[in-house]
Amino acid sequence: MNLSRRQFLKGGAATLGGVALLSSPMAYALRNSTKTEAPPETKLEQYDWEKHYYAFAVDTTKCIGCGKCVVACKLENKVPPDPEHTRTWVERYVITEEQEIFVDSPEAGMEGFVQPQMNLKYQGLAISESFFVPKLCNQCEKPPCVQVCPVAATYATKDGVILVDQKRCIGCRYCIQACPYGARYLVPDGDVTPNGYSRVADKCTWCYHRVVKGHPPACVEACPVGARVFGDMRDPQSPVREILRHSRVYTLKPSLGTKPKVFYIGLHFGVV
Amino acid sequence: MSKDTRHLVRAGALLVVGVVVFLLIRQVLVPRSFGEYGYYRGENVQEWASLPLTFSDTSSCNQCHAPVYAQWHSSPHVAVSCENCHGPGIAHIETGAKLTIPEARELCLVCHERLFSRPANFPQVESVAHAGDVECTACHSPHSPAIGGTPPASQTPTAGQTPIATDTGPTSAFPLIPHPLEGRATCSLCHRVEAGLVPLSQSHAGRTDDICLACHQQRKP
């Protein structure tokens, strides 16, 4: 078949126009098909996210390293049971008389720190101080993870929590690289998130499904010594506001400008 | 139409078609709620918010287990939530699934074994020196851990109701003596019903030093 340039262009334009005309009802149908998805069971009508702005406090002078928070988090959020993939963990800092600093987090802290093999390497050391530091997502005001996501799959809610849209996440791991706190992980093959996705980024949500219903995050509920405190910055009576009023608090890696919303009481200068 | 404008119309028409096609494709590919609140899929917030709970809170435990709740509530263990030892409660509340408690000794020692990293003011013991291999619950009720603390309350289930779990108190009838006796004057120097360093339960009122060892033996080292 011999086509002149003119015929080709005319034909092409007609085809494109036809496709456009035909596809508009198709597009409409497709759009509506996604619309008919069953609505989520609990509509949170009485919850107004503009009225809340959450923050978290960790009192490192109280933590006893029992690891109950890690266990509770894993159960509440169906986090993979292995220590490598975890939304929260407890670190142990051991500082010697020579100001040498050791940090470890055996089993992410979920088994506690009492098993003899966890303490072998510190035998015979002249320890000057030692303490536990629970870690979790800092839900930064300036989150680097949100900035780097190439598919807009991670975002900050208006009440101040960073969430991952795991339907959109392509598992590229940019956010995992970008987080200076190591708070994100990739859901391994064979494990699924509560939303039913695998091989996507996952992170602490401050138990978003609990806090919007007025319950504290599972780790806060589980802490037997009150080392983890959750609260609402918009509520002057909130325990977090009380802590910010009366305690000297610190954040992790403040020089990075991420503006974390997890405030630490009694944080040692050696903690990173 | 002059010869000079026809090519402009053609190019314009192509451009319009191209834009329309782009908009249609975009319509299909971009999720409906994208941009509802910001540069993300708005529906996802609701998806996270509506996940089911696994852990309940202590107030729901009180609805059925009031006596043991009251006992726990007045003990130093009040800071330790019920589900911390008994496990997540929503399934138990909704379906009656039985809650199981892990090995008691390990459960206690994960918090109370002495560790150099724990805050010094937190109650800690060298478990072997403190009690050998005796179960913690032989002397301490987890709901009221002080020896001789509030006695466990009993709860009679109403007819036809499934029996409600309750705390039956320390498992050993006579708690063992966890410390050496040598070099100590009398038991009542420290152990007294009223104003004792280590309080005794009311049932011990009026008892004298000479009968302590009849029931309470020293723990084997």
Side-chain angles (χ1 to χ4, degrees):
Chain A
M1 196 167 76
N2 270 326
L3 280 177
S4 71
R5 181 194 181 97
R6 172 164 307 184
Q7 278 170 321
F8 174 78
L9 285 175
K10 270 184 176 167
T15 313
L16 273 176
V19 167
L21 276 173
L22 282 173
S23 62
S24 71
M26 205 173 76
Y28 186 75
L30 263 173
R31 253 188 84 183
N32 277 321
S33 74
T34 55
K35 218 179 227 169
T36 51
E37 274 171 26
E41 46 185 280
T42 0
K43 263 285 170 204
L44 301 155
E45 270 110 9
Q46 57 284 59
Y47 180 75
D48 182 358
W49 68 350
E50 311 248 7
K51 292 200 175 124
H52 305 273
Y53 197 70
Y54 297 114
F56 203 104
V58 176
D59 191 341
T60 58
T61 65
K62 284 186 181 167
C63 181
I64 57 167
C66 67
K68 294 286 182 184
C69 46
V70 184
V71 177
C73 172
K74 283 188 180 279
L75 291 171
E76 178 72 37
N77 297 296
K78 297 169 185 66
V79 176
D82 60 293
E84 283 81 23
H85 305 94
T86 193
R87 288 185 178 190
T88 185
W89 64 100
V90 180
E91 291 174 1
R92 167 172 58 182
Y93 278 70
V94 178
I95 302 166
T96 64
E97 296 288 358
E98 289 81 38
Q99 291 299 298
E100 208 179 346
I101 301 180
F102 297 91
V103 190
D104 65 351
S105 183
E107 304 294 310
M110 63 183 159
E111 308 280 349
F113 291 79
V114 298
Q115 294 171 21
Q117 74 271 21
M118 294 173 178
N119 295 289
L120 283 180
K121 65 176 171 180
Y122 298 116
Q123 272 173 10
L125 276 184
I127 296 165
S128 94
E129 48 185 320
S130 181
F131 48 88
F132 296 106
V133 182
K135 295 263 182 93
L136 68 161
C137 172
N138 284 282
Q139 317 285 2
C140 306
E141 261 180 66
K142 305 262 180 215
C145 54
V146 171
Q147 197 183 6
V148 299
C149 179
V151 293
T154 189
Y155 57 92
T157 62
K158 290 192 180 168
D159 38 13
V161 179
I162 314 296
L163 296 177
V164 183
D165 182 349
Q166 291 168 333
K167 195 174 173 186
R168 284 188 74 75
C169 177
I170 55 171
C172 73
R173 301 171 172 87
Y174 268 141
C175 54
I176 299 171
Q177 290 277 311
C179 176
Y181 306 104
R184 287 173 169 250
Y185 67 95
L186 199 82
V187 180
D189 249 339
D191 276 301
V192 286
T193 66
N195 287 325
Y197 298 95
S198 191
R199 281 183 287 177
V200 292
D202 193 54
K203 68 180 283 295
C204 164
T205 64
W206 279 356
C207 285
Y208 198 65
H209 59 297
R210 294 177 62 85
V211 302
V212 296
K213 292 161 199 152
H215 300 280
C219 59
V220 175
E221 180 83 25
C223 182
V225 291
R228 288 177 179 246
V229 181
F230 181 77
D232 186 350
M233 296 293 276
R234 300 253 154 92
D235 172 12
Q237 306 305 317
S238 158
V240 159
R241 288 282 299 273
E242 188 66 21
I243 283 171
L244 293 182
R245 260 198 299 275
H246 297 298
S247 307
R248 302 287 82 80
V249 294
Y250 308 85
T251 56
L252 295 173
K253 300 182 182 172
S255 60
L256 297 179
T258 53
K259 298 198 174 173
K261 292 204 293 289
V262 176
F263 301 99
Y264 284 86
I265 301 173
L267 198 64
H268 187 276
F269 70 90
V271 177
V272 284
Chain B
M1 210 182 285
S2 86
K3 190 167 168 282
D4 293 336
T5 53
R6 244 185 314 181
H7 69 281
L8 289 176
V9 172
R10 272 202 304 270
L14 269 177
L15 185 68
V16 169
V17 169
V19 167
V20 169
V21 168
F22 170 77
L23 289 175
L24 286 170
I25 291 172
R26 189 180 179 279
Q27 187 91 320
V28 175
L29 293 183
V30 175
R32 187 170 52 96
S33 65
F34 198 91
E36 197 178 342
Y37 311 115
Y39 199 65
Y40 56 92
R41 195 168 60 89
E43 270 172 0
N44 187 243
V45 181
Q46 184 62 48
E47 285 164 21
W48 278 111
S50 52
L51 288 177
L53 269 63
T54 307
F55 280 89
S56 181
D57 53 44
T58 51
S59 59
S60 27
C61 307
N62 189 24
Q63 288 173 21
C64 298
H65 304 279
V68 74
Y69 179 92
Q71 185 196 356
W72 160 81
H73 202 267
S74 57
S75 84
H77 266 174
V78 66
V80 189
S81 83
C82 308
E83 290 164 297
N84 205 321
C85 301
H86 292 274
I90 291 286
H92 171 69
I93 294 166
E94 285 174 358
T95 69
K98 221 171 150 47
L99 293 175
T100 48
I101 301 188
E103 196 61 42
R105 204 181 148 85
E106 265 173 46
L107 194 62
C108 302
L109 292 179
V110 81
C111 293
H112 292 292
E113 180 74 70
R114 187 171 300 285
L115 283 184
F116 55 80
S117 311
R118 297 209 216 266
N121 58 1
F122 184 79
Q124 302 162 63
V125 295
E126 311 269 2
S127 62
V128 178
H130 176 77
D133 56 359
V134 178
E135 281 293 320
C136 309
T137 48
C139 303
H140 303 275
S141 158
H143 302 113
S144 185
I147 294 204
T150 323
S154 65
Q155 188 175 17
T156 329
T158 42
Q161 197 182 14
T162 35
I164 287 180
T166 186
D167 183 356
T168 49
T171 52
S172 156
F174 305 111
L176 300 170
I177 301 164
H179 55 74
L181 296 175
E182 293 77 21
R184 295 177 200 235
T186 58
C187 301
S188 59
L189 194 65
C190 300
H191 303 275
R192 258 172 278 158
V193 173
E194 261 145 55
L197 196 61
V198 184
L200 298 176
S201 93
Q202 281 297 335
S203 63
H204 286 52
R207 293 188 189 169
T208 46
D209 272 329
D210 52 341
I211 61 163
C212 301
L213 294 179
C215 298
H216 300 280
Q217 268 116 52
Q218 197 184 0
R219 179 166 297 131
K220 287 172 198 77

